[in-house]
Amino acid sequence: MNHSPFSFAFLQGAITPTHIAEIVQQNAAMLTLGAHSLFLGQVRADEKENGSITAIEYTCYAEMATAQIQKIITLHSTQYALKSVFIYHSIGTVAIGEICLCVAVGAAHRKEAIEACQSIVESIKKEVPIWGREIINESTSIWKTNHFSSSQ
Amino acid sequence: MNHSPFSFAFLQGAITPTHIAEIVQQNAAMLTLGAHSLFLGQVRADEKENGSITAIEYTCYAEMATAQIQKIITLHSTQYALKSVFIYHSIGTVAIGEICLCVAVGAAHRKEAIEACQSIVESIKKEVPIWGREIINESTSIWKTNHFSSSQ
Amino acid sequence: MNRHKIIAFGIIAEKIGKTEFYLENIATTQALKEKLYNQYPFLQTLTFSIAIDHEILQEELTLEENQEIALLPPFSGG
Amino acid sequence: MNRHKIIAFGIIAEKIGKTEFYLENIATTQALKEKLYNQYPFLQTLTFSIAIDHEILQEELTLEENQEIALLPPFSGG
């Protein structure tokens, strides 16, 4: 695990509860930090036309995605005076019931932590070149769509 | 740990990263859950007139606090169609850098999870009879004040 | 003659030096407050709530036997 | 003669059946789009962005040698 309090990594497969505990542990070392706000995205067994989703397969444009997330971290850290930002996103296959995204923000006070965490999640979904393919069964899959798409 | 997905407990002393991981693990069993929003409150080493805070000692009116938190859980679960709500609050001494509050909310979608989590945190601070005494050193302490107080 | 047990928390318990005490012959919440202000004048300058059986007092009430009366300074959980 | 490598992702890579290909003699982003629409008509009905060296194209540009050109369907991370 990276020991900078502002870090991002792609993880192969699901993000585990142990990863989350490690992030929480890192924030606990910071004595001016009063609030953690965490968002975890989890793969849902949604019903589609040909059956229900069993997993999502994530691919990304790695160099650009990393650069975009670093920009998002820098922007929010400054704007909200954050003490820490840890972001994990899964690459590859994540089964239903498993976690594919973790955004963990630390700040002195709750308002900054909560607002920054929410804004970072929205930015990741809008601005970062990652794609999810929803797997229905062996022969069927659907490209996932977020509630908004890039404005370009 | 309680196996209902809507539960509250007072914990003696600090809430640990392991407690957080257990909550995350419980949500991962729910296949219609797509979003976790967590808020963790941590004791800060704030500077006061006579020195800096070293710990907070929490006391509560246990029966009323439990009843109030159950009401808060029921109200939010219905209003936001939540899949899970786990709340822990510390009682007794929590040192700086340690966690004293965990609110973890699970919902199908991120909007409901994030809004409900934030609203539950505000409700706990406003409506639940818990008091924190900020310990400065062996002879000095200050009763903690939240940014708002009960409207009564 | 009625007799009510009053429980106190936080800075109120600290200032009065105990977490519970008894008051006699208080028929209403108004009478309760008068007696409290008289016995513990610092309460006049402190913000606090009164809970009757775990419910914050919103309007004046007649007190009944065996009710749990609690004096609550501003909450500071979280 | 210039020659540009184009990389494709997600549904675009799936539909064209490869993740990279080359285009020749494209001097501007307008020429790039014309050639793409001509070669892969489905792109005319698909929402997508073009990134030049990791920056989403906001206005038409002159293309230079060794730029990384990427075709990006709507993002669906998270």
Side-chain angles (χ1 to χ4, degrees):
Chain A
M1 187 168 208
N2 191 318
H3 286 282
S4 156
F6 298 93
S7 73
F8 160 69
F10 279 119
L11 294 186
Q12 193 64 37
I15 298 161
T16 65
T18 305
H19 288 125
I20 311 301
E22 283 171 5
I23 287 175
V24 170
Q25 185 67 59
Q26 275 200 282
N27 278 340
M30 287 181 245
L31 301 185
T32 58
L33 188 155
H36 314 222
S37 179
L38 287 85
F39 177 84
L40 310 178
Q42 185 166 306
V43 178
R44 276 195 319 274
D46 279 0
E47 289 297 330
K48 300 285 172 174
E49 243 180 58
N50 295 304
S52 70
I53 293 173
T54 60
I56 296 182
E57 243 178 57
Y58 287 100
T59 53
C60 72
Y61 181 8
E63 304 87 336
M64 182 175 163
T66 302
Q68 291 289 92
I69 291 183
Q70 294 299 353
K71 272 188 219 166
I72 291 168
I73 291 176
T74 303
L75 191 77
H76 285 82
S77 301
T78 309
Q79 187 178 344
Y80 293 94
L82 302 179
K83 306 284 183 191
S84 67
V85 180
F86 297 102
I87 300 175
Y88 284 139
H89 198 296
S90 294
I91 287 299
T93 303
V94 182
I96 49 174
E98 290 184 334
I99 295 166
C100 55
L101 170 65
C102 168
V103 175
V105 170
H109 301 282
R110 67 187 182 284
K111 190 177 183 320
E112 291 77 8
I114 292 170
E115 285 182 13
C117 183
Q118 178 163 22
S119 174
I120 288 172
V121 171
E122 298 303 320
S123 297
I124 289 172
K125 291 192 172 241
K126 256 190 229 168
E127 301 163 16
V128 181
I130 301 174
W131 298 274
R133 206 158 60 101
E134 299 169 335
I135 310 299
I136 311 292
N137 56 46
E138 277 176 32
S139 59
T140 312
S141 69
I142 306 165
W143 287 96
K144 177 173 179 283
T145 49
N146 280 350
H147 286 188
F148 38 68
S149 60
S150 168
S151 58
Q152 292 304 300
Chain B
M1 187 169 207
N2 191 320
H3 285 282
S4 156
F6 298 94
S7 73
F8 160 69
F10 279 118
L11 294 187
Q12 193 65 38
I15 298 161
T16 65
T18 305
H19 288 124
I20 312 302
E22 283 170 8
I23 287 176
V24 170
Q25 184 67 59
Q26 275 199 282
N27 278 341
M30 288 183 244
L31 300 186
T32 57
L33 186 155
H36 314 222
S37 179
L38 287 85
F39 177 82
L40 311 178
Q42 185 166 307
V43 178
R44 275 195 319 274
D46 279 0
E47 290 296 329
K48 300 284 172 175
E49 243 179 59
N50 296 304
S52 71
I53 292 173
T54 60
I56 295 181
E57 244 179 57
Y58 288 100
T59 52
C60 72
Y61 181 9
E63 304 87 335
M64 182 175 165
T66 302
Q68 290 290 91
I69 290 184
Q70 294 299 352
K71 272 188 218 166
I72 291 169
I73 291 176
T74 303
L75 191 76
H76 286 83
S77 300
T78 309
Q79 186 179 344
Y80 293 94
L82 302 180
K83 307 284 183 191
S84 67
V85 180
F86 298 101
I87 301 174
Y88 285 139
H89 198 297
S90 295
I91 288 298
T93 302
V94 182
I96 50 175
E98 291 184 332
I99 296 166
C100 55
L101 169 65
C102 168
V103 175
V105 169
H109 301 281
R110 67 188 181 283
K111 189 177 182 316
E112 291 78 7
I114 292 170
E115 285 181 14
C117 182
Q118 179 163 22
S119 174
I120 289 172
V121 171
E122 299 303 320
S123 298
I124 290 172
K125 292 192 171 241
K126 255 189 229 169
E127 300 163 17
V128 181
I130 301 173
W131 298 274
R133 205 159 60 101
E134 298 167 338
I135 309 299
I136 311 291
N137 56 46
E138 278 175 32
S139 58
T140 312
S141 69
I142 306 165
W143 287 95
K144 177 173 178 281
T145 50
N146 280 349
H147 287 187
F148 37 70
S149 61
S150 167
S151 58
Q152 292 305 297
Chain C
M1 192 198 82
N2 70 32
R3 185 161 184 271
H4 284 96
K5 181 176 164 183
I6 320 286
I7 55 179
F9 293 91
I11 196 170
I12 298 178
E14 186 180 275
K15 290 214 176 202
I16 69 179
K18 52 196 168 188
T19 58
E20 56 180 73
F21 57 98
Y22 290 84
L23 290 178
E24 285 173 6
N25 290 322
I26 43 169
T28 65
T29 52
Q30 279 161 313
L32 166 68
K33 286 181 197 172
E34 271 171 44
K35 209 149 196 170
L36 284 171
Y37 290 150
N38 193 43
Q39 195 156 337
Y40 302 109
F42 77 90
L43 287 175
Q44 295 173 37
T45 58
L46 193 84
T47 306
F48 70 101
S49 307
I50 295 171
I52 311 283
D53 286 344
H54 307 159
E55 293 290 336
I56 300 284
L57 189 66
Q58 307 279 359
E59 51 187 21
E60 304 303 342
L61 298 175
T62 302
L63 291 173
E64 291 163 29
E65 289 289 323
N66 299 318
Q67 282 176 324
E68 185 163 299
I69 299 174
L71 308 183
L72 313 176
F75 305 156
S76 56
Chain D
M1 189 198 84
N2 70 32
R3 186 163 184 268
H4 284 94
K5 181 176 166 183
I6 320 285
I7 55 179
F9 293 92
I11 196 169
I12 298 177
E14 187 180 276
K15 290 215 176 198
I16 68 178
K18 51 196 169 190
T19 57
E20 56 179 73
F21 57 98
Y22 290 83
L23 290 179
E24 285 173 6
N25 291 323
I26 42 169
T28 65
T29 52
Q30 279 161 313
L32 166 68
K33 288 181 195 171
E34 272 171 43
K35 209 148 196 172
L36 285 170
Y37 289 150
N38 193 44
Q39 195 157 339
Y40 302 109
F42 77 89
L43 288 175
Q44 294 173 40
T45 58
L46 193 83
T47 305
F48 70 101
S49 307
I50 296 172
I52 312 284
D53 287 344
H54 307 157
E55 293 290 338
I56 300 284
L57 190 65
Q58 307 279 359
E59 50 186 21
E60 305 302 344
L61 297 176
T62 302
L63 292 173
E64 290 163 29
E65 289 289 324
N66 299 318
Q67 282 175 323
E68 186 163 298
I69 299 174
L71 308 182
L72 313 176
F75 306 155
S76 57

